[in-house]
Amino acid sequence: MAESHGKAIDSSQDFVASAIENSDKPFEDSMKAIQADKIQFSEGEDHDAILQNLRILVERGWTVDDAGIGIDKTFKFKAWMKCIGFTARIGLESKAFNHHPVIVLRYGNVWVKWTTHRPYGLSSKDIRMAMYCDEMAEATNASNASIEFKE
Ligand SMILES: C[C@H](O)[C@H](O)[C@H]1CNC2=NC(N)=NC(=O)C2=N1
C-alpha cells in the first residue's frame, strides 16, 4: 500500500486521481509522491524530465500501470475506419522509431500501452510515443480520408 499526502492509495487509478486531486499543491509535491511510490524508470533516464511530461499525459487521460513501468490510454472513435487509421498511424511511427506498443483494436476504441522492454521500465521513448498518440488521435478525428497504406 503506498502513501501519498497521508492518504492510503492502492491502485494506479488512485495514484492518478491523487496526482490530479493534489494538483493545487506545488508541482514538485504531487510528482514526488508519484515518483517515490510508483514509477520504475528505465536505466539512464532523466527522472524529472519524464515526470514533467507524465503530468501532462496524466491530465490528458493516460494512466500509470500498477507496476509503475507503463502508461496506457483508451482512444474512442465513432467510425471503425478511424480506429484503423489511428492504429495504422501509430504502427507506422512505431516502425520508424523502433519502439512498439501493445494495441488492442476494438469496434469504437483503441487501447494503447507503452512500456520499455530494454532497459526495463518507463522511458522517454514511452513518453514521446504517448504524446504522438495524442497528436494522431486529433489528426485522425480531424481527417476525412481513411489512411493509405504505404509499405
Ligand atoms: C531490437 C529492437 O531494436 C528492440 O527489440 C526494440 C524494438 N521495440 C521495442 N519496443 C519497446 N516498447 N521496447 C523496447 O525495448 C523495444 N526494443
Side-chain angles (χ1 to χ4, degrees):
M1 185 77 83
E3 295 296 311
S4 161
H5 305 295
K7 272 173 52 188
I9 41 181
D10 56 7
S11 86
S12 67
Q13 295 295 348
D14 293 343
F15 270 105
V16 170
S18 150
I20 293 174
E21 180 190 313
N22 293 310
S23 57
D24 58 331
K25 297 199 180 322
F27 166 72
E28 291 67 24
D29 280 2
S30 54
M31 278 301 116
K32 256 188 216 118
I34 291 184
Q35 178 176 348
D37 296 329
K38 201 66 187 172
I39 309 292
Q40 291 193 48
F41 298 93
S42 294
E43 201 179 321
E45 290 292 337
D46 174 344
H47 294 194
D48 288 342
I50 287 184
L51 287 168
Q52 296 270 359
N53 285 311
L54 189 55
R55 182 183 178 84
I56 297 166
L57 290 167
V58 159
E59 284 166 2
R60 288 188 198 157
W62 289 85
T63 58
V64 179
D65 66 17
D66 289 344
I69 60 165
I71 49 176
D72 60 79
K73 180 173 176 178
T74 299
F75 294 86
K76 294 180 174 50
F77 300 102
K78 286 194 174 51
W80 174 243
M81 279 319 290
K82 291 214 181 261
C83 293
I84 293 284
F86 174 73
T87 302
R89 284 178 169 93
I90 302 310
L92 289 168
E93 183 66 13
S94 305
K95 180 174 183 240
F97 192 53
N98 191 32
H99 198 69
H100 303 82
V102 173
I103 288 191
V104 178
L105 172 62
R106 295 186 181 97
Y107 182 75
N109 67 76
V110 183
W111 180 81
V112 188
K113 172 153 189 176
W114 295 100
T115 185
T116 300
H117 310 305
R118 269 190 301 280
Y120 182 79
L122 186 66
S123 77
S124 51
K125 290 184 175 178
D126 302 316
I127 301 294
R128 176 205 184 274
M129 291 303 290
M131 295 281 186
Y132 185 79
C133 286
D134 285 337
E135 265 174 66
M136 283 306 107
E138 278 182 41
T140 302
N141 277 317
S143 125
N144 292 322
S146 59
I147 190 163
E148 298 81 38
F149 289 89
K150 302 187 284 302
E151 278 312 306

